[in-house]
Amino acid sequence: MRNFDINEDPHRRYNPLLNEWVLVSPHRAKRPWQGQNETISTEKLPEYDPTCYLCPGNIRANGVNNPNYESSFVFENDFAAMKQDEIMFEDDIRQTFFKAQPERGISRVVCFSPRHDLTLPEMEVPGIENIIRTWQKEYTDLGNIDYINHVQIFENKGSVMGCSNPHPHGQIWAQSSLPTQVEKTQNNLKSYFTKNNSNLLQDYLQAELKKEERIVIENDHFAALVPFWAIWPYETMIISKRHITKITDFTADEVTAYATILKQLTTKYDNLFSTSFPYSSGIHQAPTDGGKHEEWQFHMHFYPPLLRSATVKKFMVGYEMLGESQRDITPEKSAAILREQSDIHYKNK
């Protein structure tokens, strides 16, 4: 019987945020790939596209004209996932198998820039700061609505992530209930806080900063790392160093530091395979239900699907759907690869 090698032997890693496990199979990274290859677009986008429904001055699908905006621009989603209507509903507590309840909410689109051809890594830091201030305003405005208890800020980048328009934009879904993943996270953060009288993510970040194995970038106010329990090949998380429960707690210096690390991380992503790197990203922060929520710590998740190249992605199928999440390349290896990427975008070299 030989000793366990975490870099070579199959093993499971625990995710304390979701109370779930992930299977890590490092040896599988050596297998040859004969599966599907994604088609990567090499089209050079124009600064302005007259057919794009998100560009300034253009008409959207519902017939509304966009203003000639010069920075970020927010509007109600023309095809919203939720409605604001208040609906009469009486819960049937006798129902076992067919439970349902109405969900009330607001969906908005946030255009990052009037430029059709710019993504976050290609924007300047002041432009990203403006996006952060827009997120702050939306979190406050939506969170102050009496029936809104959670505000989810997120971005789907790239057609492989289901993004229907290449114009740089994100979304905000605000709703009356805590979404499943957020509720799981809150329950585990709260349990840890009650047991230890300290913040789970603050404690975790301190441990990661000491080890330095999975840190990708850090500055005075934030750290970007590959979580020990990461599922996606190049998954990362940005965590605030100071105890901040929500985006509106940022100082001016923290806004700049957050914008800087966003640009650096997304640039490293693009440089990894010299492509506009697809991902889904989202901010997790305190709910807007009026509670103090000391257990929360501001953090942002990045879930990119690419595995081996710009054309080979990770699939969540078979065992992942029936058993538990699984990954091949170790988080430590992913962090080292990302760390090595330049902070200068490949298009500017």
Side-chain angles (χ1 to χ4, degrees):
M1 185 179 294
R2 60 183 176 79
N3 292 329
F4 168 62
D5 184 346
I6 198 169
N7 296 307
E8 292 292 334
D9 295 326
H11 61 280
R12 298 170 83 207
R13 297 192 184 195
Y14 178 66
N15 179 347
L17 288 178
L18 298 178
N19 190 27
E20 294 177 353
W21 291 82
V22 54
L23 175 65
V24 183
S25 311
H27 59 291
R28 278 171 52 89
K30 300 172 184 176
R31 65 181 172 142
W33 180 260
Q34 293 181 310
Q36 177 174 319
N37 287 279
E38 299 297 323
T39 300
I40 300 299
S41 174
T42 56
E43 177 188 5
K44 181 175 173 56
L45 296 175
E47 290 188 19
Y48 167 76
D49 182 351
T51 67
C52 170
Y53 61 81
L54 298 183
C55 278
N58 287 359
I59 300 175
R60 298 204 305 274
N62 63 351
V64 174
N65 261 82
N66 292 329
N68 289 308
Y69 62 95
E70 296 181 354
S71 54
S72 57
F73 166 54
V74 181
F75 63 90
E76 300 285 326
N77 196 314
D78 301 326
F79 303 96
M82 290 172 285
K83 298 180 179 179
Q84 301 184 45
D85 306 338
E86 190 170 6
I87 299 173
M88 294 291 293
F89 174 73
E90 187 173 334
D91 192 11
D92 185 356
I93 61 173
R94 298 167 299 175
Q95 188 56 258
T96 301
F97 298 113
F98 307 106
K99 283 185 177 293
Q101 62 183 41
E103 185 65 10
R104 196 177 177 194
I106 301 169
S107 301
R108 291 179 177 170
V109 175
V110 181
C111 294
F112 293 162
S113 165
R115 285 272 300 269
H116 184 75
D117 60 336
L118 288 186
T119 57
L120 283 179
E122 297 170 271
M123 294 179 67
E124 298 299 327
V125 169
I128 302 175
E129 288 179 15
N130 181 69
I131 296 168
I132 295 168
R133 286 191 287 270
T134 299
W135 287 340
Q136 290 175 321
K137 182 180 185 304
E138 291 298 316
Y139 177 86
T140 299
D141 291 349
L142 290 166
N144 283 337
I145 298 172
D146 59 359
Y147 66 87
I148 296 297
N149 293 306
H150 180 260
V151 177
Q152 182 61 63
I153 299 168
F154 66 99
E155 178 193 6
N156 294 322
K157 180 178 177 237
S159 59
V160 71
M161 299 308 293
C163 184
S164 60
N165 190 307
H167 192 105
H169 71 284
Q171 298 184 57
I172 301 175
W173 291 12
Q175 62 189 100
S176 52
S177 302
L178 287 189
T180 301
Q181 296 300 311
V182 177
E183 187 174 38
K184 280 185 181 181
T185 299
Q186 173 157 298
N187 290 341
N188 289 300
L189 290 175
K190 202 164 191 176
S191 175
Y192 184 94
F193 187 84
T194 301
K195 180 180 178 181
N196 301 285
N197 196 31
S198 62
N199 184 281
L200 187 156
L201 278 176
Q202 273 196 307
D203 291 351
Y204 169 65
L205 179 57
Q206 289 307 310
E208 285 284 24
L209 289 171
K210 287 179 182 177
K211 278 187 169 291
E212 298 185 334
E213 290 180 331
R214 287 168 293 272
I215 301 294
V216 178
I217 316 164
E218 70 167 304
N219 57 36
D220 290 343
H221 301 287
F222 295 90
L225 54 85
V226 177
F228 177 77
W229 53 82
I231 294 173
W232 295 95
Y234 292 98
E235 177 181 333
T236 57
M237 182 163 57
I238 296 175
I239 310 175
S240 60
K241 290 185 174 180
R242 186 168 68 90
H243 182 211
I244 299 171
T245 64
K246 54 190 182 298
I247 197 168
T248 49
D249 292 341
F250 287 5
T251 64
D253 286 345
E254 284 166 340
V255 168
T256 300
Y258 182 40
T260 301
I261 206 167
L262 278 174
K263 180 176 174 62
Q264 290 175 320
L265 180 60
T266 53
T267 296
K268 287 180 181 292
Y269 274 146
D270 278 12
N271 287 343
L272 183 58
F273 299 134
S274 296
T275 190
S276 184
F277 208 80
Y279 58 72
S280 281
S281 68
I283 292 169
H284 274 173
Q285 55 191 327
T288 57
D289 56 5
K292 194 172 181 182
H293 293 297
E294 291 183 37
E295 72 277 8
W296 272 92
Q297 177 83 359
F298 178 91
H299 60 287
M300 184 176 191
H301 295 280
F302 281 82
Y303 300 129
L306 298 185
L307 172 60
R308 296 166 180 245
S309 69
T311 61
V312 177
K313 72 174 185 178
K314 163 73 177 178
F315 289 89
M316 290 291 182
V317 294
Y319 181 84
E320 288 91 346
M321 298 175 78
L322 298 166
E324 67 187 16
S325 299
Q326 181 270 344
R327 65 177 290 129
D328 295 342
I329 184 174
T330 65
E332 294 74 29
K333 180 67 174 175
S334 296
I337 291 171
L338 284 173
R339 252 194 322 268
E340 292 167 2
Q341 304 307 310
S342 172
D343 288 339
I344 301 172
H345 199 273
Y346 73 92
K347 289 182 181 179
N348 297 327
K349 290 182 180 178

